[in-house]
Amino acid sequence: MKKIYKLFVSLSLFLITVALKINSYKLSAIIIWLNVRKLKAIKSTNKISKKIIVFNKSGGYEDLIESYKNVKKNNIGFYLLPRPFLKKIFYHYFEKNYKGDYFTKPIDNDEIKKKDLFVKYSTSTFNFLDRFLKIDGYISFNLFYRGEKYFEEVCKNLNKKFIILHKESAFNKLEEANALKVYQKFNDKSLSYKISVYSDLQKKILIKSKIANNNQIVVNGCPRCDYAFTLRKISPKKNIIVFYLIEYAKGQSGFGDLLHEIKNTNNLDNDTRKSWKKLHDQTLNYLLNYAKKNPNIHVILKGKVGVHHKNQMDLKNFPKNCTFIEGGAGGFLLRDASIVIAFNSTIVFETIASNRNLIIPNFNNENKLKKNVSHIIDNKKYYVNSKKQFYKKIDFYLNQSYKNKKISSEDTKTLKYYLGNTNGMCGKKMQKFLDKVINE
């Protein structure tokens, strides 16, 4: 079934390319209509009064699902449209190597003209879409996605609500220091109807950079982290270790990569793109050796889509008790994990919230030597500084009984700062926010 669906999407993307070449917005609208799918994970009443299209994105999608997980009476119908369709339209007018996320402001008349053509065609396309599916608004998950930024103008033209559930807030210190410069210099003010952010810091930066005003922004925290809090009352399975593979050639985010690209010509602070490959390889090798010597444990290696691939891994020589998962959401793995190993990822915070045993590799003193490009974790008990300490801590955790411990003040401070979630109630806040915004 999945193969048939992928084939259908591929054929649809080819046809939308044809539609763009012959300048047929009507054909584009029909193709998009055929590819819109009801989001079945969110239940709604028989009488749907509002319909919202969601530009699906990992992380943000989980935030939305978590927000409506336990809602039974819901008058809003959420529909998914794969992001490649909007990207197809965008790249018809802009080259594929056109700038990047967080770098969306047109810099000359040629780029302004291309943007206007994109907005005009998209406005006609989504206006015609209303003949088949009357849409009240759209949801995106980042203010600065290059393929979706200009869609806010389309929504203005159509008198639709463009809502941003901005999921990029967990910045390192260097990104925090430069975010104001990047936002302000390389992006225009947002025309979004409302913006939800994880943290007070992100709201402050957006306002100060004049990307948005105070009335546009609401701090709701990170809803997908709610799931982690529910795990505190659930005992994990014995002998399962999950290693969320390290993104070894990046900063903490795509924003960090952008800083790397533009810093030399725009007087930004030091390079944010540090290589974590050495740390990644050390952690992986230590863990594989442990797995070989301990066949009774099960090691799960969780990769990130677009970063870790099967062809990068020497899977044939992996111990039989090791499993590699290439992409997709990874939060569900926390439920059974006896131990979680993670470094430059929000999964670190989700692990803390879930009360799972967390190990943060620090074999080369990364938390001090590279502190400006790493998340600051106040509770130092999570760090391991040597191979010996790594193995000792794994042995200790695997042999102890599970206890639902109270969240420490240090961990509460960390969760509040990065994700704005200290009690597992952010989904409820987000749901109330969306219900109000969509229905007003």
Side-chain angles (χ1 to χ4, degrees):
M1 198 68 181
K2 286 185 178 180
K3 287 184 178 180
I4 295 174
Y5 174 69
K6 285 182 179 180
L7 183 63
F8 179 75
V9 171
S10 297
L11 177 61
S12 298
L13 289 170
F14 169 75
L15 290 174
I16 209 166
T17 302
V18 174
L20 285 159
K21 285 182 178 180
I22 63 175
N23 198 33
S24 175
Y25 67 84
K26 292 182 179 180
L27 179 56
S28 289
I30 292 169
I31 294 166
I32 287 172
W33 171 59
L34 291 172
N35 282 274
V36 171
R37 296 287 183 271
K38 179 79 167 59
L39 207 173
K40 294 180 181 179
I42 297 178
K43 296 178 181 178
S44 54
T45 59
N46 292 330
K47 293 183 179 179
I48 296 174
S49 59
K50 299 291 181 179
K51 294 177 181 177
I52 303 294
I53 281 183
V54 179
F55 298 130
N56 194 10
K57 180 68 175 176
S58 178
Y61 173 80
E62 284 74 31
D63 281 339
L64 186 61
I65 297 299
E66 187 65 36
S67 299
Y68 283 88
K69 186 170 67 174
N70 298 315
V71 178
K72 295 180 179 179
K73 292 184 179 180
N74 172 38
N75 72 320
I76 303 168
F78 292 97
Y79 298 81
L80 293 178
L81 176 64
R83 295 174 70 224
F85 287 94
L86 199 59
K87 283 185 178 181
K88 273 287 183 184
I89 300 175
F90 179 83
Y91 286 123
H92 178 74
Y93 298 101
F94 293 93
E95 299 80 9
K96 282 208 171 182
N97 60 352
Y98 170 76
K99 299 179 183 176
D101 298 337
Y102 296 92
F103 203 169
T104 64
K105 188 175 184 177
I107 59 173
D108 54 33
N109 289 333
D110 180 58
E111 289 187 2
I112 292 173
K113 183 180 178 181
K114 289 176 179 178
K115 187 193 85 166
D116 290 343
L117 288 170
F118 167 82
V119 171
K120 183 180 178 182
Y121 188 88
S122 298
T123 300
S124 297
T125 298
F126 285 87
N127 184 48
F128 195 75
L129 176 65
D130 271 359
R131 297 193 181 191
F132 310 100
L133 185 67
K134 184 71 175 176
I135 299 299
D136 299 282
Y138 297 82
I139 288 177
S140 177
F141 296 108
N142 190 312
L143 280 157
F144 307 104
Y145 283 150
R146 57 185 170 181
E148 297 170 25
K149 166 64 177 172
Y150 305 146
F151 198 77
E152 60 188 20
E153 291 189 39
V154 175
C155 289
K156 278 285 183 182
N157 293 341
L158 297 174
N159 196 28
K160 311 283 187 185
K161 294 174 180 177
F162 193 51
I163 303 163
I164 306 290
L165 308 184
H166 191 63
K167 71 183 188 71
E168 306 295 344
S169 295
F171 286 171
N172 61 48
K173 289 298 180 183
L174 192 61
E175 289 168 347
E176 285 180 18
N178 289 297
L180 179 64
K181 301 174 190 176
V182 174
Y183 285 7
Q184 201 165 38
K185 187 168 184 177
F186 302 106
N187 303 276
D188 286 319
K189 184 183 185 303
S190 175
L191 301 177
S192 305
Y193 185 74
K194 289 290 180 182
I195 303 162
S196 173
V197 296
Y198 288 172
S199 66
D200 292 319
L201 174 67
Q202 189 65 208
K203 179 176 181 177
K204 182 180 177 181
I205 295 172
L206 288 171
I207 292 172
K208 198 170 182 181
S209 62
K210 297 182 180 179
I211 290 296
N213 59 51
N214 185 62
N215 293 330
Q216 278 177 288
I217 310 171
V218 175
V219 179
N220 285 311
C222 178
R224 71 178 180 274
C225 196
D226 287 1
Y227 171 72
F229 280 95
T230 67
L231 299 179
R232 300 184 71 84
K233 296 180 181 180
I234 301 172
S235 298
K237 291 183 178 179
K238 293 278 187 180
N239 299 332
I240 294 181
I241 301 174
V242 181
F243 175 28
Y244 291 88
L245 297 175
I246 297 169
E247 294 181 65
Y248 40 79
K250 295 188 70 175
Q252 295 303 124
S253 64
F255 174 74
D257 276 348
L258 175 60
L259 287 179
H260 172 77
E261 298 298 331
I262 64 179
K263 77 177 189 68
N264 292 328
T265 55
N266 294 285
N267 300 315
L268 293 178
D269 294 341
N270 295 325
D271 190 3
T272 185
R273 192 166 78 170
K274 300 291 183 180
S275 174
W276 308 113
K277 190 175 189 312
K278 181 179 179 181
L279 182 65
H280 171 274
D281 291 347
Q282 285 173 312
T283 308
L284 182 60
N285 289 332
Y286 294 166
L287 186 58
L288 291 177
N289 285 332
Y290 189 89
K292 288 176 184 177
K293 295 177 182 179
N294 297 272
N296 60 313
I297 67 168
H298 180 202
V299 173
I300 299 173
L301 306 171
K302 176 63 180 70
K304 185 169 182 178
V305 64
V307 180
H308 308 105
H309 309 283
K310 285 183 179 180
N311 56 11
Q312 294 173 326
M313 302 289 169
D314 188 12
L315 297 178
K316 290 182 180 179
N317 292 319
F318 274 18
K320 291 181 179 180
N321 56 339
C322 292
T323 302
F324 173 66
I325 300 176
E326 190 164 352
F332 72 96
L333 295 170
L334 289 174
R335 181 185 179 95
D336 294 336
S338 308
I339 299 171
V340 172
I341 302 168
F343 179 65
N344 56 343
S345 171
T346 53
I347 199 67
V348 168
F349 311 121
E350 293 177 55
T351 304
I352 292 172
S354 71
N355 194 42
R356 295 311 185 241
N357 294 312
L358 172 64
I359 292 177
I360 302 176
N362 189 48
F363 304 127
N364 313 293
N365 218 14
E366 283 85 3
N367 69 331
K368 291 182 179 179
L369 297 178
K370 298 181 180 181
K371 63 181 180 180
N372 285 338
V373 289
S374 303
H375 289 144
I376 305 300
I377 308 299
D378 292 315
N379 198 332
K380 304 308 177 188
K381 74 173 186 179
Y382 301 120
Y383 291 102
V384 292
N385 304 312
S386 67
K387 179 167 69 170
K388 182 178 179 181
Q389 198 177 58
F390 180 68
Y391 290 149
K392 187 176 180 180
K393 185 155 277 194
I394 291 176
D395 287 338
F396 174 74
Y397 284 150
L398 290 178
N399 286 292
Q400 72 173 9
S401 300
Y402 180 75
K403 292 181 181 179
N404 183 6
K405 294 167 287 192
K406 184 179 179 181
I407 299 179
S408 69
S409 58
E410 291 172 309
D411 287 340
T412 298
K413 181 181 176 183
T414 297
L415 293 173
K416 172 70 175 174
Y417 187 80
Y418 287 108
L419 297 186
N421 194 339
T422 60
N423 57 9
M425 297 297 288
C426 290
K428 200 167 187 179
K429 285 176 66 177
M430 179 74 83
Q431 182 244 322
K432 288 181 177 179
F433 162 77
L434 287 171
D435 283 354
K436 180 182 176 183
V437 169
I438 292 169
N439 286 297
E440 66 185 8

